[in-house]
């Protein structure tokens, strides 16, 4: 008992209550879901076998992954240029941009989603205006399809993409870019050989963050997809609340969890995860 | 890079830099000889770094012109100037190893791999970092990083090398060592060096010529000896070494502390001033004595301890003597 006591760092005592809380309230339910996915309605791999049997289920998973990939590409791409602009303009403009970014960050997802409907819906501002000036005869279908889901999700995700990139870009010594120019590198050479590699950890962090958050999107596809775009999160909710197939729901949830863990594992093969999440390069 | 360079003289003509209403550099004219080691020396805010940034092409010239061997380069962007530069804090590329850092300039010029390798090896040899070629900058000491920065800036054989306080981050002992290495390298490669510092000892020990700057303008230009022996005004006299200022017949003279003789006892026939010793500070190779004169002035005198045994004591009445040529007449202001 004595040796056991000695080997425990006193710091653990301070976080012990928190640890208990996390284990019981977070890990517990997750374990329960994993358990359910193997046992409900009957023990075995039956729920996972459905993936192979049901086209519909596979299509939902594929739709989700496809939408998440497109969302991630656009959010991170746009986020990269926004972060770049913020780092390289003067302090006052930077404050304005940061305020605007954070305001959109803080507004409820429900409000932002319905705003898109008002703006781009069949009778929305854009279609109405275009019809009134005679540019189009029929309203353009921006909403109630996959395009609508993508617009809503990319818009929601941009602040998440910008923030890790901003941190990573801000930490670059401007003299390093001067040095690259001084040594004769053109703008694109400096970007590809110095700036991009140095912001790569931020880029990876932002990609991971956006992709993982996108996987769980529920409100936006439900509202902007108009029932035509079914993603995993919405399907899980239907299984839980309507059809009461908890086993299938648990299986899909477990699948997403494994997917995320697999991505983190894959990423850790290429770089230290601690650098991505703000640790030092060394 | 081995063949001696035929180019590398700089002509700076009436150059000014204006930020809004602030004139950071005003009307500076200067000719830099090919192969010269020229130091821009001044306190912070004197415009020396701004001038260097204009030479590097990172800042535009507001007025005037800069020419390399007679041809204007004022409109040439930084990446086309082919000037080497050692940055304050070195600005090494943290994600590349030493070899790739040094070879970067040739690599972005799309030179053959063999040529780059050869040049990098030569540079590693020059700065004696062969065994560190595969390390990242973060794994090197400050002095080693400084040498990588130097090698990186010299690898493409630039006609001019600009150095922005390159030794500022090193501790004093290492600084003296690197100063020596820099001088050796400068002699070996014959590139024009333009060196910015606020450290007067660095300037005195390394330069062929020193440009003393103040408030954006040049105060005085000359060899270290010229500037030390014949300062033009109070600013130069006190910025480069220490000076006593003696007022006599409405004129001001600068008098270096080591050029004054001190004799204990009063009424020596050649005495220029007399007073009492109010402070003695021992520095090992010499001691600094402060004498309060009858006129109410404090005069600093450096005494060679070895040749003048400890005969001076606090409170002694002393005579001060110096040769006529020791006192340098200054311009007013």
């Amino acid at each position: 008992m004595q040796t056991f006591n000695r080997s425990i760092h006193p710091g653990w005592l301070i976080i012990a209550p928190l640890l208990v809380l996390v284990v019981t309230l977070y890990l517990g339910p997750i374990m329960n879901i994993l358990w359910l996915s193997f046992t409900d309605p009957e023990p075995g791999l039956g729920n996972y076998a459905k993936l192979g049997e049901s086209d519909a289920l596979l299509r939902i998973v594929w739709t989700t992954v496809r939408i998440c990939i497109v969302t991630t590409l656009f959010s991170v791409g746009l986020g990269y240029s926004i972060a770049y602009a913020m780092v390289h303009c003067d302090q006052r403009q930077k404050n304005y941009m940061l305020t605007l970014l954070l305001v959109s960050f803080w507004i409820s997802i429900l409000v932002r989603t319905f705003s898109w409907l008002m703006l781009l819906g069949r009778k929305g501002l854009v279609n109405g205006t275009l019809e009134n000036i005679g540019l189009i005869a029929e309203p353009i279908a921006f909403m109630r399809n996959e395009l609508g889901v993508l617009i809503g999700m990319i818009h929601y995700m941009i602040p998440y993409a910008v923030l890790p990139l901003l941190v990573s870009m801000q930490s670059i010594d401007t003299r390093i870019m001067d040095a690259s120019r001084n040594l004769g590198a053109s703008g694109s050479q400096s970007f590809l050989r110095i700036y991009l590699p140095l912001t790569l950890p931020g880029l990876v962090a932002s990609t991971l963050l956006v992709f993982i958050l996108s996987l769980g999107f529920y409100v936006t596809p439900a509202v902007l997809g108009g029932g035509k775009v079914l993603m995993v999160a919405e399907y899980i909710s239907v299984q839980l609340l309507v059809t009461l197939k908890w086993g299938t729901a648990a299986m899909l949830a477990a699948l997403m969890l494994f997917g995320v863990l697999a991505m983190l594992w894959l990423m850790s093969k290429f770089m230290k995860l601690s650098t991505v999440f703000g640790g030092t390069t060394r | 890079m081995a063949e001696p360079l035929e180019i590398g003289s700089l002509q700076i003509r009436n150059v000014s830099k204006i930020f809004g209403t602030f004139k950071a550099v005003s009307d500076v004219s200067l000719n830099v000889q090919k192969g010269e080691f020229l130091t821009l020396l001044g306190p912070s805010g004197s415009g020396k770094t701004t001038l260097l940034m204009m030479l590097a092409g990172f800042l535009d010239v507001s007025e005037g012109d800069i020419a390399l061997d007679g041809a204007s380069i004022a409109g040439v962007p930084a990446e086309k100037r082919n000037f080497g530069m050692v940055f304050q804090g070195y600005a090494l590329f943290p994600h590349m190893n030493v070899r790739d850092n040094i070879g970067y300039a040739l690599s972005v010029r799309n030179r053959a791999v063999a040529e780059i390798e050869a040049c990098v090896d030569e540079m590693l040899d020059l700065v004696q970092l062969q065994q560190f070629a595969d390390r990242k900058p973060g794994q090197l000491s400050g002095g080693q990083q400084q040498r990588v920065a130097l090698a990186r800036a010299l690898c493409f054989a630039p006609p001019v090398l600009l150095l922005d306080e390159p030794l500022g981050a090193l501790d004093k002992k290492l600084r003296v060592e690197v100063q020596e290495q820099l001088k050796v390298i400068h002699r070996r490669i014959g590139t024009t060096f333009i060196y910015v510092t606020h450290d007067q000892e660095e300037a005195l020990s390394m330069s062929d010529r020193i440009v003393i700057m103040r408030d954006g303008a040049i105060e005085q230009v000359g060899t270290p000896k010229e500037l030390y022996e014949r300062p033009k005004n109070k600013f130069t006299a006190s910025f480069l070494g220490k000076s006593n200022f003696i007022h006599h017949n409405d004129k001001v003279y600068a008098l270096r502390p080591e050029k004054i003789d001190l004799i204990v006892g009063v009424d020596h026939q050649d005495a220029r001033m007399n007073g009492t010793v109010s402070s003695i500070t021992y520095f090992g190779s010499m001691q600094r004595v402060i004498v309060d004169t009858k006129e109410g002035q404090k005069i600093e005198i450096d005494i060679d301890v070895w040749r003048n045994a400890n005969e001076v004591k606090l409170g002694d009445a002393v005579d001060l003597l110096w040769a006529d040529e020791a006192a340098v007449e200054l311009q007013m202001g």
Side-chain angles (χ1 to χ4, degrees), chain B residues 86-295:
Chain B
V86 177
F87 288 79
Q88 212 172 1
Y90 319 132
L92 297 175
F93 306 130
H95 59 299
M96 294 182 184
N97 64 21
V98 169
R99 183 170 282 282
D100 292 342
N101 263 285
I102 297 176
Y104 186 77
L106 292 183
S107 164
V108 296
R109 288 169 172 76
N110 297 316
R111 297 288 177 78
V113 175
E115 185 192 346
I116 298 174
E117 289 292 305
C119 175
V120 170
D121 286 332
E122 192 181 348
M123 283 299 138
L124 284 170
D125 203 46
L126 185 72
V127 296
Q128 293 164 18
L129 283 173
Q130 297 93 335
Q131 67 269 45
F132 300 103
D134 297 317
R135 298 237 188 129
K136 294 272 177 71
Q139 297 166 312
L140 300 177
S141 72
Q144 289 163 345
Q145 289 184 32
Q146 200 276 333
R147 274 140 67 194
V148 177
L150 184 67
R152 184 180 68 174
L154 289 173
C155 195
F156 57 108
V160 177
L161 181 70
L162 309 171
L163 302 104
D164 186 13
E165 309 230 7
L167 311 184
L170 305 179
D171 62 59
K172 193 173 168 80
K173 200 169 171 199
L174 193 56
R175 208 150 60 204
V176 175
E177 233 179 272
V178 181
Q179 281 174 27
E180 270 317 305
Q181 290 168 352
L182 265 179
K183 271 162 74 175
V184 170
I185 289 172
H186 174 250
R187 274 201 299 273
R188 250 181 82 178
I189 61 175
T191 303
T192 309
F193 275 35
I194 299 183
Y195 189 100
V196 160
T197 184
H198 62 264
D199 185 316
Q200 45 118 349
E201 278 178 42
E202 237 169 73
L204 281 173
S205 66
M206 302 176 78
S207 324
D208 292 328
R209 276 197 304 161
I210 300 174
V211 178
I212 295 188
M213 294 190 66
R214 176 199 197 182
D215 297 333
I218 293 179
E219 283 286 314
Q220 196 172 352
V221 183
T223 65
K225 192 169 180 192
E226 277 166 13
L227 292 186
Y228 190 80
E229 299 294 340
R230 308 227 67 86
K232 208 169 77 178
N233 54 28
K234 272 190 169 181
F235 180 80
T236 311
S238 57
F239 195 73
L240 207 65
K242 277 185 163 289
S243 256
N244 295 296
F245 297 109
I246 313 280
H247 296 260
H248 186 64
N249 293 341
D250 292 338
K251 286 178 178 163
V252 187
Y253 297 86
L255 191 55
R256 298 290 185 189
E258 72 278 10
K259 294 183 183 171
I260 303 175
D261 286 322
L262 177 151
I263 297 175
V264 180
V266 282
D267 299 331
H268 193 279
Q269 59 175 0
D270 296 325
R272 307 250 183 179
M273 281 179 151
N274 51 53
T276 49
V277 174
S278 67
S279 156
I280 301 173
T281 312
Y282 182 71
F283 285 103
S285 61
M286 58 95 176
Q287 58 186 352
R288 179 158 295 151
V289 177
I290 297 179
V291 172
D292 292 355
T293 65
K294 289 211 177 81
E295 293 81 15

Side-chain angles (χ1 to χ4, degrees), chain A residues 47-227:
Chain A
N47 286 320
Y48 292 87
K50 279 184 203 163
L51 273 179
E53 294 155 11
S54 148
D55 275 355
L57 213 52
L58 216 56
R59 201 164 53 239
I60 289 165
V61 173
W62 168 235
T63 306
T64 308
V65 170
R66 184 180 64 229
I67 288 179
C68 288
I69 289 175
V70 177
T71 301
T72 307
L73 285 179
F74 276 91
S75 310
V76 174
L78 290 169
Y80 199 88
S81 26
I82 293 173
Y84 186 89
M86 285 173 79
V87 172
H88 293 94
C89 63
D90 65 61
Q91 189 61 39
R92 241 184 58 181
Q93 293 180 47
K94 186 183 165 184
N95 289 342
Y96 287 137
M97 287 162 106
L98 197 62
T99 310
L100 287 173
L101 194 80
L102 289 177
V103 164
S104 77
F105 189 58
W106 288 327
I107 292 175
S108 149
I109 184 167
L110 217 55
V111 174
R112 288 169 65 181
T113 303
F114 279 107
S115 316
W116 278 116
L117 216 49
M118 289 192 201
L119 207 61
L120 293 179
R122 280 182 72 82
K123 297 207 160 58
L125 190 68
V126 172
N127 272 323
T129 313
L130 288 178
E131 271 181 305
N132 282 344
I133 59 175
L135 268 176
I136 51 171
E138 283 289 300
I140 301 170
F142 291 114
M143 294 287 129
R144 302 202 181 282
N145 54 23
E146 200 167 312
L147 178 66
V149 177
L150 284 174
I151 291 174
M153 281 177 67
I154 291 167
H155 177 235
Y156 188 80
M157 281 302 167
I158 281 175
Y160 290 94
V162 169
L163 294 175
L165 285 168
L166 200 59
V167 173
S168 147
M169 286 179 187
Q170 262 166 345
S171 68
I172 296 179
D173 184 347
T174 51
R175 279 179 301 210
I176 288 179
M177 301 314 292
D178 284 347
S180 175
R181 268 186 77 191
N182 170 258
L183 290 165
S186 66
S188 55
Q189 279 175 325
S190 291
F191 179 77
L192 289 175
R193 302 182 61 163
I194 310 293
Y195 204 80
L196 197 60
L198 287 180
T199 49
L200 193 62
L203 209 54
V204 172
S206 136
T207 305
L208 278 178
L209 185 67
V210 171
F211 190 82
I212 291 169
L213 287 174
S214 303
L215 276 178
F217 252 61
Y218 175 65
V219 172
T220 309
V223 175
L224 300 183

